Amino acid sequence: MARVRKVRKSKLNGSTGEIRVKHPNAFLYGFAYIIAYPMLKLLFRLDDGRRDFVPPEGPFLVISNHSTMLDFLFVMLPFYPRRINAVTSNRYFFKRPLSKILPVMGCIPKSQFEPDVLSIRKVKTVLNRGGSILLFPEGRCSTDGSFAGIHRSTGKLVKNLNVPVVSCYIDGAYTCVPHWRKGIRLGRVRVSMANLFSAEEIQSLSVEEINEAIITRLRGEDNARSGKPIRTFTSRRLAEGLEKILYWCPKCGKELTMTTKGNQLQCSACGNSAVMDNRGRLTALSGSVAPESIHSWYAEQANQISKWLREDMEPLKIPVSVHVTGSKYRDGAITTGSGVLRVDPSGFTFVGKLGGEDCEVFFPVETVPALPFEYNDNFQIFSTGNIYRFSPDDPRRSAMYALLGEVAHQRFSSRVLMTKGE
């Protein structure tokens, strides 16, 4: 059986029991505002929406949709000189140089998709001293650029914190900074800011009403999409890298046959082809079949998985190598192993060797609402404060297995933790 690892103890302030959280470093924050902010303006014609927005006085909570790794900059820098502490997935605290930078910037690590009392205590520490917090309720970057839903406990957290809530809707970032390919595209990004709730309004609303208002806002269903349609200025190599997430051919139904070159996706098995324009729209070529957007194509893949999943299904067995984080934030994982990850309606079961010992670890489907993944590399399961990073024998299937996990949770869990996305 796997050994139980000790949870890292947090430093406390004297006799008050208050958890220490650093103020965001003034020099680095100012440097980012002076250097990075003008670059965002130049590269993405950034409209940050702050001209017509007045934030609340005192501490407040900022929530935003999340589709790129630059979203922190798009949201935090417009509030300068106000310095905001961001809640960040704890997996980034194991990577250098982020493991050195994030604590200095006052970032608060949180275990994804599971209760984390320690991170909530840190959030309250910041708010109690007059600071503000940035939270991405989706819990990870959207794979297909659409709103991915929020954890159902978000409304409960908002009521518990009882501070004004500012909402930000980021439009255009996904097409300019697609994380399924390297580099950026010159284009336009627009950030819409609004005072969503006052502290008094929060107490008069139910958890469900708070969640619904957040979902409406982060989907862009209010006035957040006002203005001209968002597009990139680049018109070449738009589709390259899409095969990492669009792995299924909608014509012949084969998997891992999609290839990309320039603006075109093509199935190597049947020749089915589509082209992508600078607004992210897909158009099927003559005699071909293709959904009209990345989001709709990805949704079709989810539908195919849903048809395959059944209560009486034979367990899917995935040969994997595994890396498990330990009790200290540092570069890399401290425990490694290999074996088979078995998937069935009850959840995920890893059977193999971990740290040189025979091991069996079960992850109930109720506790795995989403599986973050790294393209063509691995997918992750968060459990009891640890991060299990599974690398399948065929790394191209990482996105497929991550999507399978989300569909399985929606299909078989008796208590679905995430609201539905777009």
Side-chain angles (χ1 to χ4, degrees):
M1 296 298 292
R3 290 176 293 181
V4 177
R5 287 167 293 279
K6 294 182 179 179
V7 178
R8 183 172 64 94
K9 295 182 179 179
S10 298
K11 296 179 180 179
L12 303 179
N13 285 336
S15 60
T16 64
E18 185 182 74
I19 298 175
R20 292 176 183 170
V21 183
K22 290 184 178 181
H23 292 273
N25 183 273
F27 174 78
L28 291 179
Y29 216 111
F31 181 81
Y33 183 76
I34 294 172
I35 302 300
Y37 196 44
M39 290 296 294
L40 297 179
K41 291 274 191 179
L42 177 65
L43 296 174
F44 306 118
R45 304 295 192 271
L46 176 64
D47 179 1
D48 56 31
R50 67 177 181 174
R51 290 187 303 271
D52 303 318
F53 173 72
V54 179
E57 295 183 1
F60 56 85
L61 174 68
V62 184
I63 61 171
S64 174
N65 61 316
H66 195 17
S67 58
T68 79
M69 294 302 294
L70 293 184
D71 291 343
F72 289 92
L73 297 178
F74 291 137
V75 174
M76 295 171 69
L77 292 182
F79 286 98
Y80 189 82
R82 186 81 179 241
R83 286 177 281 158
I84 298 177
N85 295 74
V87 177
T88 310
S89 169
N90 61 346
R91 67 191 178 106
Y92 295 116
F93 284 75
F94 291 92
K95 297 183 178 182
R96 292 178 179 172
L98 291 177
S99 61
K100 303 295 183 182
I101 297 174
L102 294 180
V104 174
M105 293 304 294
C107 293
I108 299 172
K110 183 190 181 302
S111 183
Q112 290 178 274
F113 311 114
E114 63 177 357
D116 193 333
V117 176
L118 184 57
S119 69
I120 294 176
R121 291 177 63 190
K122 290 183 177 182
V123 166
K124 288 185 175 181
T125 294
V126 172
L127 296 175
N128 288 340
R129 72 185 183 205
S132 295
I133 292 289
L134 169 61
L135 176 69
F136 293 106
E138 292 170 271
R140 80 283 200 194
C141 282
S142 169
T143 301
D144 60 0
S146 66
F147 176 68
I150 65 175
H151 200 287
R152 295 185 185 277
S153 65
T154 302
K156 183 178 180 181
L157 174 64
V158 169
K159 286 186 76 72
N160 186 10
L161 297 179
N162 195 33
V163 294
V165 177
V166 173
S167 64
C168 292
Y169 178 76
I170 307 171
D171 197 11
Y174 183 78
T175 53
C176 291
V177 196
H179 47 95
W180 33 264
R181 60 161 289 175
K182 293 182 179 179
I184 64 173
R185 302 168 177 162
L186 300 181
R188 192 179 299 278
V189 175
R190 185 166 54 232
V191 180
S192 172
M193 298 182 178
N195 289 310
L196 189 59
F197 304 118
S198 66
E200 294 74 22
E201 290 172 331
I202 288 172
Q203 294 309 308
S204 66
L205 297 172
S206 67
V207 169
E208 291 74 20
E209 288 172 330
I210 293 173
N211 281 341
E212 190 59 37
I214 292 174
I215 291 169
T216 298
R217 175 63 178 161
L218 299 191
R219 276 181 173 171
E221 293 177 348
D222 51 10
N223 62 351
R225 292 183 186 269
S226 61
K228 295 181 179 179
I230 295 295
R231 62 180 178 86
T232 62
F233 303 138
T234 304
S235 59
R236 297 183 302 169
R237 301 176 59 198
L238 296 174
E240 291 183 5
L242 262 179
E243 76 281 358
K244 296 176 183 177
I245 58 172
L246 303 184
Y247 57 82
W248 169 80
C249 175
K251 185 174 182 179
C252 69
K254 292 186 178 180
E255 298 172 345
L256 302 178
T257 58
M258 299 306 301
T259 61
T260 57
K261 185 177 182 180
N263 297 347
Q264 185 170 322
L265 296 89
Q266 185 174 50
C267 176
S268 60
C270 71
N272 187 48
S273 302
V275 293
M276 182 177 177
D277 67 17
N278 64 351
R279 290 180 180 169
R281 298 175 299 195
L282 299 173
T283 303
L285 299 182
S286 178
S288 295
V289 178
E292 62 183 10
S293 66
I294 298 173
H295 165 58
S296 54
W297 193 315
Y298 197 70
E300 278 297 317
Q301 293 178 162
N303 288 336
Q304 294 301 313
I305 291 176
S306 183
K307 293 176 183 178
W308 175 77
L309 291 173
R310 305 184 310 275
E311 291 285 354
D312 60 347
M313 62 177 281
E314 289 291 325
L316 174 65
K317 298 180 180 180
I318 308 171
V320 294
S321 58
V322 59
H323 302 260
V324 185
T325 58
S327 59
K328 293 183 179 180
Y329 293 136
R330 63 183 184 182
D331 191 25
I334 67 165
T335 309
T336 61
S338 61
V340 173
L341 186 67
R342 188 172 67 243
V343 185
D344 60 37
S346 66
F348 303 79
T349 305
F350 170 75
V351 180
K353 287 190 176 294
L354 190 59
E357 298 182 2
D358 290 335
C359 172
E360 180 172 327
V361 185
F362 176 60
F363 311 96
V365 70
E366 286 81 9
T367 65
V368 189
L371 286 75
F373 67 97
E374 296 177 13
Y375 301 97
N376 289 353
D377 193 322
N378 67 78
F379 56 95
Q380 301 121 36
I381 296 179
F382 291 72
S383 178
T384 61
N386 291 320
I387 307 171
Y388 292 78
R389 192 169 74 238
F390 295 104
S391 299
D393 280 2
D394 187 345
R396 297 176 301 166
R397 294 183 178 272
S398 297
M400 183 190 309
Y401 293 142
L403 181 57
L404 184 149
E406 295 190 29
V407 175
H409 177 79
Q410 292 283 340
R411 181 76 175 272
F412 299 124
S413 177
S414 59
R415 186 169 64 96
V416 177
L417 299 181
M418 299 290 293
T419 66
K420 289 186 177 181
E422 290 183 67

